[in-house]
Amino acid sequence: MSFSDVIVAIISAHINSIQICLIYAVGVIISSVTALLLHFIKDEGILRRSYSRLELRYLLLCAVFNTGGSTLFIASVKFIPVGDATAVFRTMPVMAAILGRIFLGLRLRCIDALFIVFCIVGVTVIARPSFIFHAGEEQTAPSNNHKILGISFALASAVCFASIYMFGTELSEYKIPADVIMSLNALVFLLLIAAVWSVNRQWDCFQTTTVALCLLAGAITGIGQLMVFWAVTKEKLVVVTVILASNVIFSNVLQILLMHIMPHWISAMGAALVLTSCVGMALRKNETGQEQSNKIEERSV
């Protein structure tokens, strides 16, 4: 999905974020619906099962937060390098832990608090606000404001997807297929962005290359998200989380190769702190999950 993020960053220099989102959403829905139809060919019952009100509520909440998270991330790369945006976005496991503590009452240990501190410091270092990093940083007020705005968008995107993680844990109990969730997410994304586009009257003509790249980015994202859903069913969540964290490295490499933008060494330090907190939180949750499963087995014996 790093390739998709870099494509969006390149396109953002030519058209605005809402325009990107609409074409991008079409690409996502094409890949998601294709996967759903292939699943339907093998199992016709996938579209015939009935859903309870609670299931539909969780599905709709996931779709709305997915729309918000995707839109905010696409908006963030217009203001900050895609490598920085990806690093901030990967604070998602830490955000999920914080939201779980606030809304679900999940327990946080001292080590969790340490990872949260690492995350906050890492994001601050990436943002490099002028009131802290004033020495040696020749930043004008507008450029600093744009950087803070981009970081805020990426952070808000991480919060949105962390919320999806909470709802997803509930959906996992109902055994809802990943392609059904993805297709609904893509459909709601497309409808909401189309409504915003219509209200703003942004019916512009785009170059064929721009449209093709947007569609490609959306399709890659859709395929990537489906693969993540599939990976979670086959492998431990901690392994998938660690692999996804490598997205930060790939995004920076592609940023150098395709956009010729070198990441700032201070941003690299901040990204390292964010990755440490992300991987550490995932490992800690895996350890907690094993302890809980062992206790359940002891009680059953």
Side-chain angles (χ1 to χ4, degrees):
M1 288 186 284
S2 301
F3 187 54
S4 172
D5 297 339
V6 174
I7 291 175
V8 169
I10 293 172
I11 298 171
S12 64
H14 304 286
I15 59 178
N16 67 48
S17 300
I18 298 299
Q19 293 170 334
I20 293 175
C21 284
L22 182 64
I23 307 172
Y24 179 89
V26 173
V28 175
I29 203 169
I30 288 173
S31 59
S32 301
V33 172
T34 300
L36 182 62
L37 290 176
L38 291 174
H39 193 169
F40 177 73
I41 293 173
K42 296 180 179 179
D43 180 14
E44 295 183 359
I46 186 176
L47 297 179
R48 294 178 179 176
R49 66 161 288 187
S50 58
Y51 294 92
S52 66
R53 290 185 177 180
L54 186 60
E55 287 175 314
L56 291 174
R57 185 184 307 167
Y58 281 130
L59 283 170
L60 185 59
L61 284 171
C62 281
V64 171
F65 276 102
N66 175 75
T67 300
S70 300
T71 305
L72 287 165
F73 182 82
I74 289 173
S76 71
V77 299
K78 198 173 186 68
F79 299 101
I80 57 176
V82 64
D84 290 353
T86 304
V88 175
F89 175 74
R90 284 302 161 194
T91 61
M92 185 171 48
V94 178
M95 295 300 169
I98 295 173
L99 292 176
R101 179 68 182 92
I102 295 173
F103 295 104
L104 302 179
L106 300 180
R107 183 182 175 186
L108 290 178
R109 298 181 179 178
C110 293
I111 188 67
D112 296 322
L114 179 62
F115 289 138
I116 291 173
V117 171
F118 278 2
C119 179
I120 294 173
V121 173
V123 171
T124 304
V125 169
I126 293 173
R128 301 198 302 278
S130 58
F131 59 87
I132 298 178
F133 294 88
H134 56 278
E137 287 288 318
E138 296 179 359
Q139 296 179 346
T140 61
S143 66
N144 185 67
N145 292 337
H146 286 170
K147 183 178 294 183
I148 298 299
L149 187 61
I151 293 294
S152 300
F153 283 155
L155 205 55
S157 176
V159 172
C160 286
F161 279 98
S163 302
I164 293 176
Y165 173 79
M166 287 198 306
F167 298 132
T169 55
E170 299 293 335
L171 285 174
S172 62
E173 299 179 2
Y174 299 106
K175 307 294 183 182
I176 299 176
D179 38 22
V180 172
I181 299 174
M182 282 293 304
S183 297
L184 181 61
N185 285 354
L187 179 60
V188 172
F189 186 19
L190 180 63
L191 293 176
L192 290 178
I193 294 299
V196 174
W197 191 346
S198 299
V199 170
N200 292 336
R201 298 179 180 180
Q202 296 182 348
W203 303 104
D204 298 330
C205 294
F206 307 115
Q207 294 181 355
T208 304
T209 305
T210 301
V211 174
L213 286 174
C214 276
L215 289 174
L216 177 62
I220 291 174
T221 298
I223 295 170
Q225 290 178 349
L226 284 169
M227 291 178 69
V228 170
F229 273 111
W230 177 81
V232 169
T233 62
K234 302 294 183 180
E235 188 56 81
K236 291 182 179 180
L237 181 61
V238 60
V239 176
V240 178
T241 303
V242 172
I243 293 174
L244 286 176
S246 65
N247 187 22
V248 177
I249 299 173
F250 289 118
S251 293
N252 278 286
V253 171
L254 290 173
Q255 173 184 293
I256 296 171
L257 295 177
L258 300 180
M259 303 181 69
H260 308 292
I261 299 176
M262 288 294 296
H264 197 286
W265 67 272
I266 295 181
S267 294
M269 291 176 59
L273 286 172
V274 170
L275 282 176
T276 301
S277 64
C278 173
V279 174
M281 189 69 77
L283 292 172
R284 224 285 295 165
K285 283 187 173 295
N286 180 63
E287 180 184 347
T288 302
Q290 289 179 344
E291 290 177 357
Q292 290 177 346
S293 62
N294 292 335
K295 289 181 180 179
I296 293 173
E297 290 178 0
E298 290 175 1
R299 290 176 183 175
S300 61
V301 172

